[in-house]
């Protein structure tokens, strides 16, 4: 029988993750609405108010406090800074909800261009002229 060797203890990655979560988590999200705003079909201030009214913190709307800040960042951009764990998908969901409410969902879509950055883009509509000639 071969002698057993003592096994080295594994690194405790759970403790390392716990340290990161104890500190303040600050995430910054940007929604670029410059295309539809320049075409004057999208009201940026109404969208900002919608986010203020609809974002839930601890299960309650209108409970933003100092934890979440929503502001307009110049030429057609909305910035959301969260000091608590916050999902970018939730922001995308609320953006889609606003577009549906304003009846713009058929023309605009929300695309993630990079981590934490979303953009409103028009659907690419390609007209095939060959189909129209057949009729």
């Amino acid at each position: 029988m071969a002698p057993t060797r003592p096994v080295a203890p594994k690194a405790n990655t759970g403790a390392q993750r716990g340290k990161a979560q104890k500190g303040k988590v600050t995430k910054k999200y940007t929604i670029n609405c410059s295309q539809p705003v320049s075409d004057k079909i999208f009201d940026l201030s109404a969208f900002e108010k919608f986010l203020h009214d609809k974002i839930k913190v601890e299960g309650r709307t209108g409970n933003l406090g100092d934890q979440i800040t929503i502001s307009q960042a110049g030429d057609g951009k909305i910035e959301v800074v969260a000091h608590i764990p916050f999902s970018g998908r939730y922001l995308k969901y609320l953006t889609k909800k606003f577009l549906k409410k304003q009846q713009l969902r058929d023309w605009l879509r929300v695309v993630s261009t990079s981590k934490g950055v979303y953009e409103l883009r028009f659907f690419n509509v390609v007209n095939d002229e060959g189909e129209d000639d057949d009729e």
Side-chain angles (χ1 to χ4, degrees):
M1 203 162 168
T4 59
R5 287 190 225 167
V7 179
K10 293 182 180 178
N12 190 356
T13 56
Q16 292 169 351
R17 274 190 251 133
K19 286 181 186 175
Q21 290 177 352
K22 286 181 186 175
K24 262 196 168 179
V25 178
T26 301
K27 290 187 179 178
K28 181 178 170 184
Y29 298 96
T30 305
I31 303 173
N32 186 356
C33 312
S34 56
Q35 260 187 325
V37 167
S38 66
D39 289 345
K40 296 179 181 165
I41 64 165
F42 191 82
D43 187 9
L44 200 60
S45 58
F47 180 52
E48 183 183 9
K49 184 180 181 328
F50 178 82
L51 290 177
H52 272 288
D53 295 342
K54 294 291 181 177
I55 289 181
K56 286 186 177 182
V57 176
E58 297 173 0
R60 300 177 64 197
T61 57
N63 192 21
L64 298 181
D66 295 335
Q67 299 169 334
I68 295 179
T69 309
I70 303 169
S71 62
Q72 291 186 21
D75 40 315
K77 292 183 182 179
I78 296 274
E79 264 185 13
V80 179
V81 179
H83 299 293
I84 58 173
F86 189 76
S87 172
R89 286 181 176 254
Y90 182 55
L91 206 54
K92 184 175 180 177
Y93 161 77
L94 287 175
T95 305
K96 287 174 156 182
K97 198 169 180 173
F98 179 77
L99 290 174
K100 184 159 181 135
K101 182 180 175 188
Q102 300 295 318
Q103 298 176 347
L104 296 172
R105 187 80 176 97
D106 295 335
W107 293 279
L108 294 171
R109 62 187 182 141
V110 185
V111 179
S112 176
T113 55
S114 64
K115 188 170 183 171
V117 179
Y118 295 92
E119 184 177 346
L120 292 182
R121 291 186 182 168
F122 288 100
F123 281 112
N124 291 333
V125 179
V126 178
N127 292 334
D128 292 331
E129 294 178 11
E131 291 179 9
D132 295 340
D133 294 339
D134 294 339
E135 294 178 7

